[in-house]
Amino acid sequence: LIYGQPVEFTGKVIASDTRGPVVGAYLNVYSGLEGRLVSIRMRNLVASGQADPKVDPLDEGSYPRFQKTLTTSESGEFAFKLPTGYPVQVSIEHANYDPYQESFDVEEGQDILGREYLLVPRTEIFGIVVDDVTNQPIPGVAVEAGESGVPVAMINQLGGGNEVFSCESDAEGKYRLTNIPRGKQHLTATHDSY
């Protein structure tokens, strides 16, 4: 199977808070065929005499795929050619922003120019650790957050790809966890005296 004529795909990755460019964002663009599309395409090829169902099985692994990986420039921009005729998945990642994903169809002869992607910056979790009896701040408390609501002990024991974010409370009991992905987090606070 052959892709149609490639189209130009250009765009820019922008920070939603500053509207400035996101430099070094990691783009992964790929075309993966869904079984439904493979069977429709194969049915058309068989009907036109271009494929024999006994010789050409409906196996996704035998069909072409496209993958392009790059990072954004100093201006947050990117540009490359995309194949046509199949759905494309775009995922964008950066250490300081929440990931972004999008799928769309690419039609022959229809360039995709000037597409803008807004990335949302990661957030912070902050507060003060106090003694529940005296209501006095507690310095030196290890505060940890388990990504996606998974308890830190489980992440440490089983792994699984979730991050653990940690900090220690200061002399006034204040803590600040930075660069936290948005969503559910599981917080723990530990101190040798408690």
Side-chain angles (χ1 to χ4, degrees), residues 142-187:
V143 180
E144 296 178 305
E147 184 181 15
S148 301
V150 178
V152 172
M154 281 184 82
I155 294 172
N156 290 338
Q157 186 175 17
L158 304 174
N162 290 335
E163 289 185 67
V164 173
F165 304 91
S166 59
C167 69
E168 189 172 289
S169 62
D170 64 15
E172 298 172 347
K174 296 178 181 177
Y175 70 90
R176 181 176 303 270
L177 296 166
T178 60
N179 209 23
I180 307 291
R182 293 174 193 278
K184 189 175 182 180
Q185 307 294 333
H186 187 274
L187 288 178

Side-chain angles (χ1 to χ4, degrees), residues 29-32 66 82-83 86-90 102-106:
V29 181
Y30 60 93
S31 175
F66 167 84
L82 274 180
Y86 300 109
V88 170
Q89 174 80 29
V90 175
E102 175 185 41
S103 294
F104 54 89
D105 290 328
V106 181

Side-chain angles (χ1 to χ4, degrees), residues 48-174:
S48 68
Q50 295 177 6
D52 181 345
K54 295 176 187 164
V55 177
D56 301 308
L58 292 176
D59 173 18
E60 273 191 26
S62 65
Y63 291 90
R65 296 180 190 276
F66 167 84
Q67 182 165 0
K68 178 77 173 177
T69 303
L70 55 93
T71 56
T72 55
S73 68
E74 291 294 319
S75 62
E77 296 176 338
F78 61 88
F80 55 90
K81 300 259 188 216
L82 274 180
T84 57
Y86 300 109
V88 170
Q89 174 80 29
V90 175
S91 65
I92 305 172
E93 296 180 8
H94 190 283
N96 298 326
Y97 298 88
D98 288 341
Y100 178 87
Q101 288 191 339
E102 175 185 41
S103 294
F104 54 89
D105 290 328
V106 181
E107 300 298 326
E108 194 167 347
Q110 295 181 3
D111 289 337
I112 303 166
L113 305 174
R115 194 155 196 147
E116 289 188 350
Y117 293 98
L118 289 177
L119 294 189
V120 177
R122 289 188 169 197
T123 191
E124 297 181 340
I125 299 173
F126 56 91
I128 301 174
V129 182
V130 296
D131 184 288
D132 64 346
V133 175
T134 66
N135 210 28
Q136 293 298 307
I138 306 173
V141 175
V143 180
E144 296 178 305
E147 184 181 15
S148 301
V150 178
V152 172
M154 281 184 82
I155 294 172
N156 290 338
Q157 186 175 17
L158 304 174
N162 290 335
E163 289 185 67
V164 173
F165 304 91
S166 59
C167 69
E168 189 172 289
S169 62
D170 64 15
E172 298 172 347
K174 296 178 181 177

